[in-house]
């Protein structure tokens, strides 16, 4: 009898354990269940000093950058790499002569077999002076953003996806143009902008064991710098190139990132003040969305699914988000007073559109203190009603994606802010 009882106890314990282990994460999608939270004030220094002037903001800015590096994204190596640019291809007849397409290998060390990224650049042929530019990373290699068969195919590691033509973790001919619907390059060029793109996996292959094959071991021994940081760094290396290009106005360069790329774009824009404009599209958790709002994806969830994106310290906040010394509105504030655009999609609840809007709103006091209008919206705007102040915002119909509608708003926003004075 006693042994039967023991057996039953053991069985029930095993069942409870198995259930606990398999229990799927259940995201909260109910505003009423978010609870209360207090955001840190971007305009108060850690020691309590209030920030009321631009010179004081410089100090607070440095403090916030350090806090984000220490607690979330890791420290970017301070030394600027000796970068070498090698132009591999130039085609002046792209889109029937509308643009010149170039491919440039960006070597991060003097060695030709060292770490590198492959940059593709479209510059409008019709122009009167230097043109503004957009930089955006791609998910499937440069050859995936357009079906043009002359684009060099990426040989880098990619996530297996037979439908997209990724076989044995490598791109095949079938993958040409698979991402094209997210890249209205012709429209962007027609509106007078250059477009630069690169495969994010050139910097850090996007899987949990990607670190040894990333650029990181070439620059730092610390295990603190991680994937989002490496991708962000890639944006800056593209700007290094654009600064030398006589066709481009390096003072009018915008970076755009969708989703995980949006997190990287925000971190790049926060750190590198050469970027004149930053666009976050559906960047969500650890991007534009407030971390303290328990809605959709959470800090614990993102750190579990994507342990290679952030630093080790960030994981210690999984169960104590309210103790983070920063929140994401302060990442947005680090872009001030430069134009910042935050885009959400109504069905992309995982990314917490309302939390993205609230973060943009909570960054606004910094923009205003620095003499701009910040975000001119008291309430979250309706669908397809873009707000175009120094901080721009829209929410569109549909799900997690980067669409023609999104790009049209980014172009309108850039036209507004980049207009020659
Ligand atoms: C996942 C992840 C998000 C991320 C997204 C993406 O959904 O949870 O944080 O933004 O992937 O990059 O598409």
């Amino acid at each position: 009898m006693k042994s039967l009882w023991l057996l039953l106890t053991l069985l029930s314990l095993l069942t409870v354990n198995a259930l606990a282990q398999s229990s799927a994460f259940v995201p909260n999608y109910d505003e009423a269940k978010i609870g209360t939270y207090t955001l840190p004030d971007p305009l108060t220094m850690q020691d309590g000093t209030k920030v009321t002037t631009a010179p004081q903001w410089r100090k607070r800015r440095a403090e916030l950058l350090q806090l984000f590096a220490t607690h979330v994204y890791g420290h970017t190596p301070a030394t600027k790499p000796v970068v070498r640019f090698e132009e591999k291809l130039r085609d002046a007849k792209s889109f029937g002569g509308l643009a010149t397409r170039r491919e440039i290998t960006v070597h991060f060390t003097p060695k030709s077999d060292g770490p590198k990224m492959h940059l593709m650049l479209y510059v409008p042929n019709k122009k009167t002076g230097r043109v503004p530019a957009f930089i955006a990373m791609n998910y499937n290699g440069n050859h995936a953003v357009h079906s043009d068969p002359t684009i060099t195919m990426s040989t880098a590691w990619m996530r297996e996806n037979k439908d997209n033509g990724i076989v044995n973790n490598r791109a095949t001919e079938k993958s040409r143009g698979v991402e094209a619907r997210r890249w209205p390059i012709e429209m962007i060029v027609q509106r007078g902008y250059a477009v630069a793109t690169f495969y994010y996996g050139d910097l850090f292959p996007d899987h949990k064991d990607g670190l040894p094959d990333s650029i990181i071991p070439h620059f730092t021994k610390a295990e603190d710098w991680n994937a989002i940081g490496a991708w962000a760094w890639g944006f800056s290396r593209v700007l290094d190139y654009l600064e030398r290009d006589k066709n481009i106005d390096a003072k009018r360069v915008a970076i755009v990132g969708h989703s995980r790329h949006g997190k990287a774009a925000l971190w790049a824009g926060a750190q590198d003040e050469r970027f004149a404009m930053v666009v976050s599209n559906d960047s969500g958790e650890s991007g534009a969305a407030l971390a303290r709002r328990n809605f959709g994806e959470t800090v614990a969830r993102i750190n579990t699914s994507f342990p290679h994106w952030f630093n080790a310290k960030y994981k210690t906040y999984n169960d104590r988000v309210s103790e983070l010394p920063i929140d994401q509105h302060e990442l947005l504030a680090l872009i001030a007073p430069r134009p910042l655009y935050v885009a959400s999609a109504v069905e992309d609840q995982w990314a917490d559109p309302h939390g993205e809007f609230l973060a943009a709103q909570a960054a606004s006091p910094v923009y205003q203190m620095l003499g701009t209008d910040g975000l001119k919206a008291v309430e979250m705007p309706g669908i397809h009603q873009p707000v175009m102040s120094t901080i721009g915002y829209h929410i569109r119909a549909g799900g997690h994606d980067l669409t023609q509608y999104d790009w049209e708003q980014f172009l309108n926003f850039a036209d507004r802010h980049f207009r020659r004075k």
Side-chain angles (χ1 to χ4, degrees):
M1 192 62 198
K2 196 168 176 201
S3 57
L4 184 64
W5 181 81
L6 261 177
L7 188 69
L8 284 176
T9 313
L10 195 68
L11 274 178
S12 65
L13 275 176
L14 282 174
T15 319
V16 168
N17 195 26
L19 273 178
Q21 280 183 9
S22 69
S23 74
F25 167 73
V26 184
N28 171 44
Y29 288 127
D30 184 351
E31 286 276 341
K33 291 199 180 127
I34 289 171
T36 54
Y37 57 87
T38 311
L39 291 180
D41 178 6
L43 291 173
T44 303
M45 301 280 301
Q46 289 284 93
D47 69 4
T49 312
K50 296 279 174 220
V51 175
T52 54
T53 65
Q56 276 182 312
W57 171 250
R58 295 306 302 170
K59 287 195 188 140
R60 173 64 172 151
R61 194 187 129 73
E63 183 175 77
L64 282 171
L65 275 176
Q66 199 51 41
L67 289 170
F68 275 105
T70 303
H71 300 274
V72 184
Y73 303 107
H75 294 81
T76 307
T79 45
K80 225 180 155 188
V82 185
V83 179
R84 193 165 56 82
F85 304 103
E86 187 188 354
E87 186 174 303
K88 288 281 184 67
L89 184 149
R90 183 181 283 250
D91 169 15
K93 297 253 175 321
S94 211
F95 301 117
L98 193 69
T100 296
R101 186 177 75 80
R102 270 185 272 161
E103 293 185 8
I104 303 110
T105 304
V106 182
H107 297 273
F108 297 139
T109 65
K111 293 192 297 181
S112 58
D113 60 349
K116 53 176 97 53
M117 73 198 266
H118 302 282
L119 174 65
M120 179 160 79
L121 177 65
Y122 288 89
V123 180
N125 285 336
K126 206 176 111 204
K127 57 182 176 309
T128 46
R130 291 172 181 255
V131 293
F134 282 98
I135 311 174
M137 301 189 266
N138 59 68
Y139 280 91
N140 298 277
N142 294 340
H143 66 278
V145 308
H146 196 277
S147 55
D148 177 349
T150 66
I151 300 177
T152 305
M153 188 151 12
S154 174
T155 56
W157 179 95
M158 282 173 204
R159 189 173 310 286
E160 197 69 5
N161 185 334
K162 299 236 163 32
D163 292 343
N164 275 354
I166 314 296
V167 182
N168 296 328
N169 299 113
R170 291 292 180 275
T172 66
E173 280 295 324
K174 196 186 164 192
S175 63
R176 288 195 177 279
V178 287
E179 212 177 308
R181 56 174 196 86
R182 284 187 175 170
W183 292 85
I185 300 172
E186 201 169 343
M187 171 180 87
I188 303 170
V189 166
Q190 249 157 0
R191 288 188 57 166
Y193 292 81
V195 185
T197 187
F198 58 98
Y199 173 53
Y200 78 133
D202 283 354
L203 295 131
F204 195 118
D206 191 6
H207 61 93
K208 68 177 178 35
D209 302 315
L211 189 109
D213 298 322
S214 77
I215 56 157
I216 288 178
H218 296 275
F219 296 104
T220 172
K221 290 208 167 36
E223 289 195 4
D224 170 50
W225 201 31
N226 234 318
I228 299 277
W231 299 331
W233 187 87
F235 275 116
S236 291
R237 303 294 70 83
V238 176
L239 187 50
D240 293 346
Y241 178 77
L242 297 183
E243 278 184 333
R244 300 166 164 219
D245 187 329
K246 300 230 163 14
N247 296 293
I248 308 290
D249 181 356
K251 299 244 173 320
R252 291 185 296 158
V253 171
I255 48 178
V256 177
H258 167 62
S259 207
R260 63 199 69 184
H261 294 180
K263 308 180 210 293
L266 289 169
W267 180 227
Q271 296 175 92
D272 191 338
E273 293 181 277
R274 294 176 300 165
F275 294 118
M277 181 181 294
V278 180
V279 180
S280 147
N281 192 74
D282 304 353
S283 64
E285 184 65 42
S286 311
L290 292 173
R292 279 170 174 73
R293 258 173 68 89
N294 173 22
F295 193 98
E297 192 172 24
T298 61
V299 170
R301 181 62 192 183
I302 205 168
N303 277 329
T304 309
S305 317
F306 306 100
H308 56 293
W309 283 4
F310 308 97
N311 71 0
K313 180 87 188 195
Y314 198 38
K315 297 173 183 68
T316 69
Y317 292 98
N318 283 355
D319 301 316
R320 49 177 193 119
V321 173
S322 63
E323 288 172 44
L324 271 166
I326 43 74
D327 207 311
Q328 297 307 115
H329 61 306
E330 292 171 306
L331 180 69
L332 304 186
L334 283 169
I335 293 154
R338 294 164 291 157
L340 160 71
Y341 198 91
V342 176
S344 309
V346 74
E347 285 166 26
D348 187 19
Q349 294 291 303
W350 180 245
D352 188 10
H354 191 203
E356 296 185 316
F357 172 76
L358 291 174
Q361 205 171 41
S364 195
V366 176
Y367 274 80
Q368 285 165 342
M369 193 272 289
L370 294 173
T372 79
D373 56 357
L375 178 68
K376 280 174 92 175
V378 183
E379 303 260 300
M380 181 141 169
I383 291 174
H384 300 165
Q385 289 173 24
V387 178
M388 295 264 170
S389 30
T390 308
I391 303 179
Y393 178 83
H394 78 237
I395 179 157
R396 66 157 167 78
H400 190 66
D401 202 356
L402 177 58
T403 68
Q404 168 110 0
Y405 175 86
D406 296 318
W407 274 108
E408 280 165 6
Q409 310 322 309
F410 307 158
L411 284 161
N412 294 345
F413 188 67
D415 281 356
R416 219 184 156 92
H417 290 288
F418 284 170
R419 196 178 297 135
R420 285 187 188 282
K421 306 252 155 58

